């Protein structure tokens, strides 16, 4: 019998196929009894199977369901192992994007390119694959889970990294980099989904901060080690024996090791996929029991009228291991087959890909929040990719440093990303300060209604005057009233301040990169700018997730596409900008643009409620 077709009519099929009183008494049933199709959730208590008196122990052993537990309830050790694997893979993808730039001059000679700009189109093609691929790969991860998409994309990433090490033409390099970007995109854009699978909203900031930090740390480490390898090995050998190709070969080795570890230790984390597998395992077991003549499970009568109520109870650890709940005195015998609601609501693959491709553009051009946030993070990402060429070039022009020494300046970018990660974790703790939280009767935090001003009127006998609110209480009351900690805009309070470090860092870098000023000063500017970029990057992930919920993946796909396309374009204009404008005017121009875009989060802090109320997507979520 087709489960899907029956389930469309009702979560549970009609109960006219209930066993008779004699069957309930004797525990007897055959294949003529109708099958009901209840929804299975992680909270569904599993009913006890019918156990005839002549059954053997081996026949009635339930399947091992421990593989299908809710990722939210996984132990922290397992969650952080998954997070560590995801962050390492993300680090390597960021490393790949930045390590391509240092050997550009040697690639131009060896591949017969006309200019360095032609070689840098390899970064552009990488970013194009990085931006477009998630729109097509995301539906596959929804249907088949994270694990197969991660493994297949990881293999593609490793293989085409190796292709980059053997190609002999610029066209081959550009195409190979496109497929490297497609494979690498999974480890950046879908890691946020893995984190959402394992953590509730309240505990998601720290994992997201570690993930975001690994992106920028990898982006800084790539040109650092790429420059060292190019400087020390790059001028020896030609063709396939050119030593500069170790820029790619060492990544092939490290990423291959990472993918092998991922294959064995990464576990499926998408809840709906795990539920579907759990339902299939249970249904297969029921079918095997029926083939041996053992029909039905025991369902309590009070739950039989609507078996969807089975989802209201928390599962016990025994149920997750496959142990069934004992039947009550009012239990009746039923034949069931579990189904998963997400499977019922899921569209065809073609429709899912169409929505995945079209909806991000729809949100980008109809949602002001998505448009301006995408513009903001795209510019910040473009500045990050601008450093691939600008840092070595500026330090060569101003300080006379060679490529290897100039690459060491990227340590400032790594340090800025590491400090930014720590600040992002710390700011979430400040946001959850008990005096900033919404006052409740049990919190011990005074609300604004309890802060009574002093009065000169006499009080009745026996009553004491209430103490006036202290200055700190008035400040916290103002903060709670004007900057509520439970609104989506709370995700960007600190970004409003920290993002100012992006233009400040650009000004310091451009105005202090002079031969008579110590090199540490422009390096500090690079670190500060990186702090600002990281805060913007993390804030957008968190804000979109809180504001758009089930539409968040489309909103994030829109900003990811814009971010990567702009990031891929900026390295092509780095050289012309510096040569035509000079370091100072270029960075002042970029800093002024960054100041203008820094208004975006402030507008949302003060008018976010009104803007979201006018959004058809956000208002739909509010009605729900």
């Amino acid at each position: 019998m087709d489960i899907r077709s029956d389930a469309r009519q009702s979560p549970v099929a009609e109960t006219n196929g209930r066993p008779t009183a004699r069957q309930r008494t004797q525990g007897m049933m055959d294949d003529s009894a109708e099958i009901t199709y209840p929804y299975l959730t992680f909270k569904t208590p599993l009913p006890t199977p019918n156990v005839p008196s002549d059954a053997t122990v081996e026949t009635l052993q339930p399947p091992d369901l421990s593989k299908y537990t809710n990722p939210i309830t996984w132990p922290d050790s397992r969650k952080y192992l998954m997070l560590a694997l995801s962050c390492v893979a993300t680090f390597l993808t960021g490393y790949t994007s930045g390590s391509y730039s240092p050997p550009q001059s040697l690639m131009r000679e060896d591949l017969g390119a006309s200019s360095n700009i032609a070689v840098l189109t390899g970064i552009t093609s990488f970013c194009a694959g990085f931006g477009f691929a998630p729109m097509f790969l995301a539906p596959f991860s929804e249907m088949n889970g994270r694990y197969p998409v991660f493994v297949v994309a990881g293999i593609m990433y490793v293989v085409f990294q190796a292709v980059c090490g053997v190609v002999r033409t610029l066209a081959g390099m550009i195409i190979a980099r496109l497929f490297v970007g497609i494979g690498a995109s999974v480890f950046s854009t879908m890691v946020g989904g893995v984190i959402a699978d394992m953590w509730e909203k309240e505990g998601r900031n720290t994992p997201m901060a570690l993930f975001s930090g690994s992106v920028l740390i990898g982006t800084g480490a790539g040109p650092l080690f790429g420059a060292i390898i190019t400087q020390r090995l790059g001028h020896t050998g030609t063709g396939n024996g050119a030593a500069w190709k170790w820029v790619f070969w060492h990544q092939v080795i490290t990423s291959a090791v990472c993918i092998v570890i991922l294959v064995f230790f990464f576990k499926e984390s998408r809840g709906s996929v795990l539920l579907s597998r759990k339902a299939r395992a249970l249904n297969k077991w029921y079918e095997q029991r029926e083939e041996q003549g053992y029909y039905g499970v025991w369902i309590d009568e009070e739950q039989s009228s609507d078996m969807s109520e089975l989802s209201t109870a928390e599962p016990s650890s025994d149920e997750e291991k496959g142990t069934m709940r004992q039947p009550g005195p009012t239990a009746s015998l039923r034949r069931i087959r579990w189904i998963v609601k997400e499977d019922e609501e899921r569209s065809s693959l073609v429709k899912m890909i169409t929505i995945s491709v079209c909806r991000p553009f729809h949100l980008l051009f109809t949602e002001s929040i998505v448009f301006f946030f995408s513009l903001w993070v795209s510019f910040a990402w473009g500045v990050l990719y601008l450093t691939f060429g600008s840092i070595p070039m500026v330090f060569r022009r101003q300080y006379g440093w060679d490529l290897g020494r100039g690459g060491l300046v990227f340590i400032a970018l790594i340090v800025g990303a590491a400090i930014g990660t720590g600040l992002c974790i710390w700011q979430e703790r400040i946001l959850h300060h008990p005096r900033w939280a919404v006052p409740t009767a049990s919190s011990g935090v005074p609300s604004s209604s309890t802060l009574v001003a002093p009065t000169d009127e006499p009080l009745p006998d026996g009553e004491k005057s209430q103490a006036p609110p202290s200055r700190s209480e008035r400040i916290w009351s103002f903060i709670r009233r004007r900057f509520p900690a439970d609104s989506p805009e709370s995700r960007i309070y600190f970004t409003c301040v920290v993002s100012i470090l992006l233009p400040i860092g650009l000004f310091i870098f451009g105005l202090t990169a002079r031969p008579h000023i110590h090199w540490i000063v422009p390096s500090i500017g690079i670190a500060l700018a990186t702090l600002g970029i990281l805060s913007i990057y993390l804030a957008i992930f968190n804000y979109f997730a809180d504001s758009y919920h089930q539409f968040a993946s489309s909103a994030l796909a829109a900003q990811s596409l814009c971010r990567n396309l702009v990031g891929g374009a900026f390295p092509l204009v780095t050289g012309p900008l510096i040569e035509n404008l000079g370091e100072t005017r270029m960075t002042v121009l970029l800093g002024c643009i960054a100041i203008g875009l820094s208004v975006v989060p402030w507008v949302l802090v003060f008018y976010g409620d009104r803007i979201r109320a006018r959004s058809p997507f956000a208002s739909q979520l509010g009605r729900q």
Side-chain angles (χ1 to χ4, degrees), residues 158-460:
V158 174
V159 169
F160 282 95
Q161 281 276 65
V163 172
C164 290
V166 298
V167 294
R168 300 296 303 274
T169 64
L170 179 60
M173 178 65 77
I174 293 173
I175 294 173
R177 288 283 293 179
L178 173 67
F179 284 98
V180 170
I182 293 173
S185 66
V186 169
F187 301 108
S188 180
T189 56
M190 292 189 188
V191 170
V194 173
I195 293 173
D197 292 339
M198 298 187 294
W199 277 278
E200 298 282 8
K201 171 186 171 182
E202 293 75 14
R204 203 175 292 163
N205 183 75
T206 295
M208 283 298 298
L210 294 173
F211 156 64
S212 302
S214 65
V215 174
L216 269 73
I217 292 174
T219 305
L224 167 63
F225 290 99
I228 294 173
I229 293 172
T230 302
Q231 182 68 28
R232 297 188 178 183
L233 303 177
H235 296 278
T236 60
T238 58
N240 287 333
W244 62 265
K245 292 194 173 183
W246 275 101
V247 169
F248 299 106
W249 285 116
H250 84 282
Q251 294 181 69
V252 173
I253 296 171
T254 53
S255 56
V257 171
C258 177
I259 297 304
V260 170
I261 296 174
L262 186 143
V263 167
F264 288 102
F265 292 99
F266 192 87
K267 304 299 180 183
E268 181 56 57
S269 66
R270 184 159 181 81
S272 61
V273 173
L274 291 172
L275 272 178
S276 297
R277 294 176 182 177
K278 182 177 181 178
R280 286 196 296 268
L282 287 169
N283 292 340
K284 181 180 179 181
W285 180 53
Y286 294 156
E287 292 168 359
Q288 291 173 343
R289 296 181 71 256
E290 291 179 359
E291 289 174 359
Q292 297 173 351
Y294 308 132
Y295 289 85
V297 295
W298 292 100
I299 303 293
D300 289 339
E301 283 294 336
E302 59 268 21
Q303 294 176 331
S304 62
S305 61
D306 184 4
M307 292 184 65
S308 63
E309 294 179 5
L310 289 174
S311 63
T312 60
E314 292 288 346
S316 65
S317 59
D318 288 338
E319 287 163 0
E320 291 181 347
K321 295 176 182 177
T323 303
M324 309 301 169
R325 177 169 295 189
Q326 293 299 319
T330 61
S332 62
L333 199 59
R334 299 287 192 83
R335 291 180 70 198
I336 66 171
R337 296 293 186 270
W338 296 109
I339 57 175
V340 177
K341 190 173 183 179
E342 287 81 357
D343 292 340
E344 293 292 302
E345 298 174 346
R346 186 176 294 145
S347 306
S348 66
L349 179 61
V350 174
K351 185 176 181 180
M352 291 178 69
I353 292 178
T354 302
I355 293 174
S356 182
V357 172
C358 297
R359 184 179 286 163
F361 290 101
H362 178 72
L363 290 174
L364 182 64
F365 294 111
T366 61
E367 292 285 312
S368 57
I369 294 176
V370 177
F371 177 81
F372 284 104
F373 260 21
S374 298
L375 182 65
W376 189 32
V377 74
S378 297
F379 174 78
W381 213 247
V383 171
L384 178 66
Y385 273 63
L386 193 77
T387 62
F388 296 163
S390 63
I391 288 177
M393 191 172 184
V394 168
F395 278 81
R396 174 177 57 82
R397 285 162 54 102
Q398 297 296 330
Y399 297 97
W401 289 7
D402 58 25
L403 179 63
R405 193 176 181 187
L408 295 175
V409 181
F410 284 97
I411 295 176
L413 196 153
I414 297 173
V415 171
I419 295 174
T421 302
L423 286 177
C424 290
I425 296 173
W426 172 79
Q427 73 183 21
E428 184 73 8
R429 296 181 180 179
I430 297 298
L431 191 63
H432 289 141
H433 191 283
R435 303 193 69 178
W436 196 341
V438 178
T440 60
S442 61
S443 64
V445 179
S447 63
S448 57
S449 61
T450 64
L451 301 180
V452 181
T455 177
D456 295 331
E457 296 181 3
L459 296 174

Side-chain angles (χ1 to χ4, degrees), residues 386 393-394 397-398 510-511 514 573-591 593:
L386 193 77
M393 191 172 184
V394 168
R397 285 162 54 102
Q398 297 296 330
L511 297 175
R514 298 287 186 274
V573 301
T574 302
L577 278 175
I578 294 177
E579 291 173 356
N580 295 322
L581 296 180
E583 295 88 342
T584 302
R585 282 181 289 182
M586 180 192 74
T587 52
V588 168
L589 173 63
L590 296 175
I593 296 174

